[in-house]
């Protein structure tokens, strides 16, 4: 690899991280009885296992599938990412810490086989994706194939992490319903739709009035989505 090549900085960073991983692998791992751990302790344990994840990519171009993992050539039906997702809000503090963990994993994103671009997913990329799944918030996501936290520039990444911390501080003590009602205060139509679908799944018509109130000021395309969603609640 040329020291002045396009991927020189990325390669140097990976080597530095990998040297630390190799050094840590020499230390024996303690056997943990998960049944004796609190949810917060389980979350920390599962985050520590993300570095060993090799998750497949669906399609070319496509997206990494964070809840599917390959171990010794065989699917892992219960990877740590899935366990973190199942812990829900209890996992959020550990996942927020993971946002600043750039340890490389065994997961590599690529545009296409014949294209030379490769992006090694870091622990932080998994943390961000799981957080978005748990909270149903976008947190800087852009509709670009393969987009993840590592796709952001440092300044943007820092602002997103701070926004996540602020969201958690404001929402950690709320019930799931109250958190979702908070989505109607957002300026983003996607948040309104997310909240509406949440309450529709529960057949909870308390969401109907907030959805109706969002229709008049919405753009034409969004109005159609909101009207369709309201109609699904029935009379």
């Amino acid at each position: 690899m040329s020291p002045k090549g396009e991927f020189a900085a990325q390669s140097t960073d990976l080597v530095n991280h990998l040297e630390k991983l190799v050094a840590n692998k020499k230390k024996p791992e303690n056997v943990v009885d998960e049944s004796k751990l609190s949810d917060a302790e389980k979350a920390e344990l599962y985050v520590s296992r993300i570095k060993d994840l090799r998750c497949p990519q669906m399609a070319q171009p496509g997206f990494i599938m964070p809840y599917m993992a390959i171990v010794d050539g065989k699917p892992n039906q219960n990877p740590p990412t899935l366990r973190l997702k199942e812990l829900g809000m209890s996992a959020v503090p550990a996942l927020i810490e993971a946002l600043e963990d750039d340890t490389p994993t065994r997961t590599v994103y690529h545009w296409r086989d014949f294209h030379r671009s490769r992006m090694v997913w870091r622990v932080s990329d998994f943390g961000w994706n799981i957080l978005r799944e748990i909270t149903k918030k976008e947190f800087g996501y852009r509709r670009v194939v393969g987009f993840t936290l590592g796709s952001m520039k440092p300044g943007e990444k820092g602002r997103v992490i701070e926004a996540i911390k602020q969201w958690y501080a404001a929402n950690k003590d709320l019930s799931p319903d109250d958190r979702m009602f908070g989505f109607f205060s957002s300026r983003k139509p996607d948040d309104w739709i997310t909240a509406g679908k949440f309450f529709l799944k529960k057949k909870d018509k308390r969401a109907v009035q907030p959805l109706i109130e969002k229709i008049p000021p919405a753009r034409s395309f969004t109005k159609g989505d909101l009207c369709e969603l309201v109609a699904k609640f029935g009379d």
Side-chain angles (χ1 to χ4, degrees):
M1 180 67 69
S2 168
K4 295 183 180 179
E6 182 179 351
F7 301 104
Q10 182 184 144
S11 299
T12 300
D13 179 64
L14 282 172
V15 168
N16 291 336
H17 280 291
L18 289 172
E19 286 178 343
K20 294 176 183 178
L21 284 174
V22 170
N24 288 333
K25 274 293 183 183
K26 296 177 181 178
K27 303 175 183 178
E29 294 187 5
N30 296 323
V31 177
V32 179
D33 183 353
E34 295 183 24
S35 66
K36 297 181 179 179
L37 300 180
S38 65
D39 284 352
E41 291 170 330
K42 287 178 182 178
E44 291 178 0
L45 176 65
Y46 300 152
V47 166
S48 74
R49 293 174 176 172
I50 289 177
K51 65 182 182 298
D52 295 317
L53 274 187
R54 176 180 165 234
C55 294
Q57 178 174 320
M58 186 63 69
Q60 297 182 32
F63 295 89
I64 296 296
M65 309 299 288
Y67 305 110
M68 298 173 60
I70 308 298
V71 179
D72 295 328
K74 299 178 182 179
N76 180 347
Q77 303 295 337
N78 197 22
T81 45
L82 184 58
R83 295 185 183 188
L84 284 162
K85 174 184 165 184
E86 290 171 346
L87 284 173
M89 288 292 286
S90 297
V92 170
L95 289 168
I96 288 176
E97 287 189 22
L99 295 174
E100 300 187 68
D101 185 349
D102 288 332
T103 301
T105 69
R106 299 175 186 269
T107 299
V108 181
Y109 170 79
H110 63 285
W111 178 251
R112 292 185 186 274
D113 284 340
F114 59 77
H115 196 279
R116 65 178 181 170
S117 68
R118 296 290 186 273
M119 179 181 179
V120 177
W121 265 38
R122 311 301 178 102
V123 171
S124 54
D125 292 303
F126 280 100
W128 179 73
N129 276 275
I130 301 167
L131 273 168
R132 290 179 55 244
E133 182 71 27
I134 291 173
T135 65
K136 305 304 180 186
K137 297 288 288 184
E138 294 292 330
F139 291 136
Y141 175 73
R142 293 199 288 275
R143 288 178 173 82
V144 177
V145 176
F147 187 85
T148 185
L149 185 69
S151 307
M152 302 178 191
K153 293 183 178 180
E156 180 185 6
K157 180 178 176 181
R159 290 191 293 273
V160 166
I161 292 174
E162 184 57 33
I164 293 173
K165 291 178 179 178
Q166 291 178 4
W167 181 90
Y168 179 66
N171 288 269
K172 62 182 179 180
D173 296 322
L174 299 181
S175 68
D177 284 9
D178 286 340
R179 285 198 297 272
M180 276 297 163
F181 274 119
F183 279 42
F184 290 119
S185 299
S186 169
R187 292 181 294 177
K188 298 180 179 179
D190 284 349
D191 285 342
W192 312 337
I193 299 294
T194 296
K197 289 180 177 178
F198 171 85
F199 288 107
L200 177 62
K201 187 176 181 179
K202 299 173 58 176
K203 299 181 180 180
D204 187 338
K205 293 187 177 182
R206 290 181 296 166
V208 172
Q209 187 59 38
L211 286 169
I212 291 174
E213 292 173 358
K214 295 296 182 183
I215 294 174
R219 294 181 178 181
S220 298
F221 187 80
T222 303
K223 283 183 179 179
D225 289 341
L226 290 170
C227 288
E228 182 178 352
L229 186 54
V230 169
K232 289 180 180 179
F233 281 89
D235 296 332

